[in-house]
Amino acid sequence: MRVLNPIMKCCVLGIVMLGMPLSALGAHTSLPITTLYSTGVDAGGLVIAPGGGATDPNWAILERADGGTLGPAVVQLNNPAWLPNDTAGTAGSSWISINDDDVPVADGTYRYQTTFDLTGLVESTAAITGTTSPDDLVTGVFLNGVSQGITANDFVLALAFAINSDFIAGVNTLEFVMFNRDGGGTPGVPSPHGLRVELSGTADVIPEPSSFVLSSLALLGLCAVRRRRHGK
């Protein structure tokens, strides 16, 4: 077997680095997913004061049992029995719904969606942790249309969950499907309804490709200089 001398090793290393995928080069740095928002917060992640018809800029109503208008979710004054909203203007979360108070609404299915962007991040390294409190039930959580096997049924406690797969490059969609049960066990009788979700997420970012290109070219340049010095 032929043993490469130091000059040839230098050349080979430079060529290999130029041809390697960026994901294989160097250590990755984990960053927060800054476009991932909890319910009831503004673009800066601060809790919006409920009431007065204030809407959530990050969460939308995709389906509602009463057949009403779809669009931005409404930041809600929580029912006294629920886990209290975090203080307006602070980091945290708040309840959202189809209205801004806890007036009972129709029983049936409600669906809420948020989106976040992984552009510039490695989707295979993304992870989300969070808590949710629903009234009445979270019957499913879907990331990019794929069920995550998450359910919840407690509006007093914040129930923890995690998502570690099914992320895609670019814009991702996260949906919470809910069922609002009838009031007092009587079908058709409205009951209070709301959703609260607190989210955080991270993903790796790959160093700028220019740094690897420059390193590779530097190695190749060093190889050329050494070859000239050795008359090869």
Side-chain angles (χ1 to χ4, degrees), residues 105-166:
V105 300
D107 58 323
T109 299
Y110 294 79
R111 190 158 49 106
Y112 297 89
Q113 182 189 85
T114 188
T115 62
F116 57 94
D117 194 349
L118 293 180
T119 298
L121 301 172
V122 184
E123 67 272 15
S124 61
T125 67
I128 289 174
T129 57
T131 59
T132 185
S133 304
D135 190 348
D136 283 292
L137 309 170
V138 168
T139 57
V141 177
F142 296 82
L143 178 61
N144 301 313
V146 181
S147 174
Q148 300 302 304
I150 297 168
T151 60
N153 62 354
D154 198 319
F155 51 70
V156 177
L157 300 176
L159 303 175
F161 64 88
I163 301 175
N164 297 297
S165 62
D166 302 310

Side-chain angles (χ1 to χ4, degrees), residues 37-42 45-60 73-79 82-102 112 114 131-135 155 158 176 178 193-199:
Y37 292 97
S38 302
T39 55
V41 302
D42 60 21
L46 301 180
V47 175
I48 300 169
T55 57
D56 187 321
N58 309 300
W59 286 78
V74 181
V75 182
Q76 188 178 37
L77 289 164
N78 59 278
N79 185 289
W82 296 348
L83 182 72
N85 286 332
D86 288 324
T87 303
T90 66
S93 62
S94 181
W95 289 83
I96 58 172
S97 187
I98 63 172
N99 53 28
D100 62 6
D101 52 32
D102 63 344
Y112 297 89
T114 188
T131 59
T132 185
S133 304
D135 190 348
F155 51 70
F176 280 67
M178 302 184 65
H193 161 73
L195 172 67
R196 183 171 172 184
V197 182
E198 194 151 327
L199 297 170

Side-chain angles (χ1 to χ4, degrees), residues 8 11 22 33 53 74-76 116 134 142 144 168 190 192 204 206:
M8 290 303 296
C11 293
L22 291 178
I33 303 173
V74 181
V75 182
Q76 188 178 37
F116 57 94
F142 296 82
N144 301 313
I168 61 174
D204 287 354
I206 300 175

